[in-house]
């Protein structure tokens, strides 16, 4: 069994910061669960362009207010505590935080922990056994 708390992760390489968010990776590929599990905080007043072309992600909001705008349709969905969205079609979107958003995120395939968003908001598909990050 694996038991971890956010306090175990803060300040370690599993505590990953970007300009508009910080993400604590509670479970990663190496844990062998088949998914990764993160708690992500999106900073108030920010917008983030995201397009996970290689991953499916489900996101459950536990705190804060914001919205998600689907690029293809222009549809906007309000986000608040108790709202879940699942990017089941690799949906390109904008994530906007009116106040600080606290989200629980699940990725399939699991993140290895080394991914960073590229300029298109994409995470590359990394191979857990390979040490080198593809260019
Ligand atoms: C909600 C979302 O996708 N935020 C970006 C960070 C991501 N959840 C991650 O890498 O943990």
């Amino acid at each position: 069994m694996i038991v971890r708390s956010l306090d175990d992760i803060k300040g370690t390489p599993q505590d990953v910061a970007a300009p508009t968010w910080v993400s604590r990776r509670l479970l990663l590929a190496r844990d062998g669960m088949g998914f990764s599990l993160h708690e992500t905080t999106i900073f108030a007043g920010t917008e983030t362009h995201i397009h996970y072309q290689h991953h499916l992600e489900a996101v459950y909001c536990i705190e804060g207010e914001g919205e998600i705008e689907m690029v293809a349709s222009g549809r906007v969905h309000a986000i608040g505590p108790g709202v879940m969205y699942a990017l089941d079609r690799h949906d390109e979107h904008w994530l906007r935080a009116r106040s600080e958003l606290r989200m629980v995120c699940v990725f399939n395939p699991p993140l290895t922990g080394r991914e960073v968003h590229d300029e298109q908001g994409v995470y590359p598909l990394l191979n857990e056994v390979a040490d080198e990050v593809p260019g």
Side-chain angles (χ1 to χ4, degrees), residues 6-23:
L6 277 187
D7 286 343
D8 297 333
I9 285 161
K10 284 180 186 166
T12 74
Q14 284 176 235
D15 183 352
V16 177
T20 56
W21 52 262
V22 61
S23 183

Side-chain angles (χ1 to χ4, degrees), residues 21 23 25 38 40 42 50 52 57 85 95 105 107 123:
W21 52 262
S23 183
R25 278 72 186 267
H38 319 181
T40 300
I42 314 283
I50 300 176
Y52 297 123
E57 186 194 24
Y85 63 85
L95 182 58
C105 311
F107 277 82
Y123 280 153

Side-chain angles (χ1 to χ4, degrees), residues 4 13-14 25-38 110-115 128:
R4 284 182 191 134
Q14 284 176 235
R25 278 72 186 267
L26 290 153
L27 290 169
L28 285 168
R30 62 175 171 269
D31 294 309
M33 296 292 289
F35 57 85
S36 57
L37 177 70
H38 319 181
L111 296 198
T112 66
R114 290 174 289 130
E115 296 84 353
E128 180 59 25

